[in-house]
Amino acid sequence: ELPGYIRAHNVFHICNLKAYVARPDELPRPGPVENTDVADNYHAVDEIIKHRMRGNKYQYLVKYTGYSNAESEWINKDDIIGDIIQNYRNQQETSRNGGV
């Protein structure tokens, strides 16, 4: 995403790419840093807002604890841990049966 004051198109054709050639006086670039802290890759789900099918997989629109609704995102079923999906399904079933 480019800032609004930049008047440039952020997509270009592959023919405009050139191979990177390091200069002899240039220091070697460090490689990518791998995130080994597993806790950083997980967020607490506050609630599941709704669900959908994408291809043959379920996705859930999740709201994270401590984040606004605008920051909710679609997550594959396999990427959600815990019993929150079952709680969501039970809530859906209850609301379909008129709260009984």
Side-chain angles (χ1 to χ4, degrees):
E1 191 69 29
L2 296 173
Y5 63 87
I6 295 179
R7 311 231 357 123
H9 192 60
N10 63 350
V11 178
F12 51 90
H13 194 271
I14 194 168
C15 71
N16 294 326
L17 294 176
K18 295 179 183 175
Y20 173 76
V21 179
R23 296 186 318 251
D25 62 334
E26 188 175 354
L27 294 174
R29 293 182 180 208
V33 177
E34 187 172 319
N35 185 0
T36 57
D37 187 5
V38 176
D40 285 346
N41 295 328
Y42 294 96
H43 298 285
V45 175
D46 186 34
E47 68 175 317
I48 295 177
I49 300 169
K50 57 184 174 178
H51 66 280
R52 68 182 182 187
M53 287 290 290
R54 281 290 185 231
N56 61 349
K57 294 184 179 183
Y58 273 107
Q59 288 186 332
Y60 295 92
L61 183 61
V62 298
K63 180 187 178 302
Y64 296 112
T65 303
Y67 293 87
S68 70
N69 283 343
E71 297 174 291
S72 300
E73 61 182 349
W74 290 100
I75 304 293
N76 289 329
K77 178 183 177 182
D78 298 338
D79 295 332
I80 300 174
I81 58 174
D83 57 355
I84 192 156
I85 293 176
Q86 188 59 45
N87 294 344
Y88 169 76
R89 290 292 184 188
N90 291 342
Q91 181 183 15
Q92 292 292 308
E93 189 65 31
T94 302
S95 63
R96 260 190 247 125
N97 293 333
V100 177

